[in-house]
Amino acid sequence: MPSNDARNLVPIAVPTAAVGVVAVAVSGAVAGGKGALGAAVGVLLAIAFMGLGLYVLQWTARTLPQLFQAMGLMLYVAQLLLLMIFLALFKGTSLFNAKAFAFSLVIATVVWMAAQARAHMKAKIFYVEPDSEKSEKSEKTGSSS
């Protein structure tokens, strides 16, 4: 992962992981070991889905900027479908507490989105790409008559 992508990911993933640790502790205290396991699975699933989504969107923005918005929508649908497949596979499981899983998944997703919004607001993103070579040369426009 390029260093710029890592710089974007750290201020987003760290608060999510911290909230995940709290969710695991609370779920463990309330629902026991299965609650802690369910919360851990929910947080890890949220971080994996959102992190992969962020990586794919950054890659798309660099390589195929004309497809950025369409890729964002497709990625959102793909994430929802993957989550539904995961939920269908573990529908009646007794491996972990389903309520702790759902609670931690939602909380981790909301914290990820809030941290991503904050990181985007604090980022200094150029909306005009400065090009020093072109600004040093004075090009004339119009006819040469």
Side-chain angles (χ1 to χ4, degrees):
M1 177 178 282
S3 65
N4 190 29
D5 294 347
R7 275 183 290 175
N8 291 338
L9 186 62
V10 169
I12 300 168
V14 169
T16 306
V19 167
V21 169
V22 172
V24 168
V26 169
S27 296
V30 172
K34 288 189 178 191
L37 182 61
V41 170
V43 169
L44 290 176
L45 194 66
I47 290 174
F49 278 13
M50 297 301 228
L52 185 62
L54 181 63
Y55 177 75
V56 168
L57 283 178
Q58 286 178 344
W59 177 82
T60 303
R62 277 193 309 272
T63 57
L64 304 165
Q66 68 275 14
L67 296 178
F68 182 71
Q69 186 176 13
M71 183 61 85
L73 292 172
M74 188 181 83
L75 183 65
Y76 177 69
V77 171
Q79 286 175 332
L80 286 176
L81 287 174
L82 286 172
L83 182 60
M84 282 194 261
I85 290 169
F86 182 86
L87 292 175
L89 289 174
F90 291 97
K91 183 178 181 180
T93 189
S94 62
L95 292 174
F96 54 80
N97 186 313
K99 287 183 182 180
F101 166 76
F103 172 74
S104 64
L105 180 70
V106 169
I107 293 297
T109 302
V110 169
V111 169
W112 180 283
M113 290 187 303
Q116 189 172 8
R118 183 178 185 276
H120 183 71
M121 286 189 308
K122 291 181 82 60
K124 292 177 172 65
I125 300 171
F126 290 118
Y127 58 91
V128 175
E129 299 263 345
D131 193 8
S132 61
E133 292 177 14
K134 287 186 179 180
S135 64
E136 291 175 5
K137 298 177 185 177
S138 62
E139 296 181 14
K140 294 182 180 179
T141 59
S143 63
S144 60
S145 51

